[in-house]
Every structure is written in C-alpha cells, then in structure tokens.
Amino acid sequence: LYFENSFVGKSSLDVNQLKDTLTISLGTDNSILVKREKRKDFTSKKVLGSNKTDTYSFLLTVRNNKSTPVEITINDQIPVSSNNSITVDPIELSGGKLNQQTGEIKWDLEMKPQENKQIIFTYSVKYPKDKVIILE
C-alpha cells in the first residue's frame, strides 16, 4: 500500500465484500493532530445534601496540517451509569451527537487547510456521598 507517495505497508484485501466500496485503514495520519486536555478551571467537586456532584470538562484541539481540506470524525465518551442512584448529565457538547446508551459523542468536522478547531465537552456526575466512584 502506498499513501501520498509513501510506502505504508503490506495488506490483504478482501475483494469478496458485498459493497461497491473497499474500506481499508492506512493507520495514523501525522498531518492531523488531535490533543485532549482537562480544563482544570471548569472541573469541580461539590457536596450538596446527601449527594456529591463532580463536573469534568475537556478541551479537544484539532489541527489540519495538510494543504487540502479534510473531513474528520472525532469520537470521545462520557461515563454511562447502570446504577439508578448515579446520574450522568452532559452539560456542553459543542455540537456533538451523544448516544445515550453508550455515552459516545461524535463530532463530524470539515476542516480547511492549516485550520484549528476547538471542541469543549463538559459533563457532571451526581451520586450519593456514601459511594465511592472512580471517574479518572
């Protein structure tokens, strides 16, 4: 396999697929940079009555270092609770689509050459103060 005039490796292709499009992975593209940082100023822990509320916020920075526009999908996830006494509420998703069952957030971006985009997502977790949960 060659990608952008560079040898990226050998692969076997399944030509018996029942689709008209052949899907293959070419690995990591070093021209697209994605950085995920915790926003410490927007992360907090509060005790209110018999419940604790932890709020977490993250900043995703995406940069297209290519000389051509690209379409990119960014995936992240918030926790999902199977316990009724623990609730997870999305606060800010920057236009991302949330799957309530899996907690997956998906952003579909169209990026121009040399463009930077920032995505903020914030969620809170409310749980009884006598329980210990690990979110990090």
Side-chain angles (χ1 to χ4, degrees):
L1 297 175
Y2 287 86
F3 180 66
E4 293 181 349
N5 295 326
S6 297
F7 178 74
V8 294
K10 294 181 180 181
S11 179
S12 299
L13 302 177
D14 182 12
V15 294
N16 293 323
Q17 291 181 356
L18 298 176
K19 299 178 184 177
D20 63 348
T21 303
L22 187 62
T23 303
I24 59 171
S25 173
L26 298 175
T28 304
D29 187 344
N30 294 327
S31 299
I32 306 293
L33 301 175
V34 180
K35 185 177 178 183
R36 183 180 193 255
E37 298 174 292
K38 189 176 194 181
R39 299 172 67 208
K40 295 196 187 294
D41 294 344
F42 297 92
T43 299
S44 66
K45 295 180 185 242
K46 296 178 186 172
V47 178
L48 195 63
S50 63
N51 290 320
K52 286 184 181 179
T53 303
D54 295 352
T55 303
Y56 295 92
S57 185
F58 296 92
L59 173 66
L60 301 174
T61 305
V62 184
R63 177 161 175 79
N64 176 15
N65 287 327
K66 292 179 170 284
S67 58
T68 57
V70 295
E71 293 180 12
I72 185 169
T73 300
I74 304 291
N75 293 312
D76 211 316
Q77 188 173 15
I78 63 173
V80 176
S81 174
S82 59
N83 185 331
N84 291 339
S85 65
I86 301 172
T87 59
V88 179
D89 296 316
I91 296 172
E92 182 179 354
L93 299 178
S94 294
K97 296 175 192 136
L98 174 65
N99 181 328
Q100 294 286 346
Q101 266 113 16
T102 63
E104 181 183 36
I105 310 166
K106 183 186 273 189
W107 294 271
D108 293 317
L109 306 175
E110 292 180 10
M111 299 189 65
K112 297 176 183 161
Q114 305 301 318
E115 183 180 15
N116 274 332
K117 287 197 178 177
Q118 292 187 331
I119 298 168
I120 295 172
F121 77 96
T122 306
Y123 63 91
S124 68
V125 181
K126 184 177 177 182
Y127 58 96
K129 69 179 177 182
D130 62 335
K131 291 195 186 261
V132 176
I133 61 171
I134 299 171
L135 294 170
E136 297 183 71

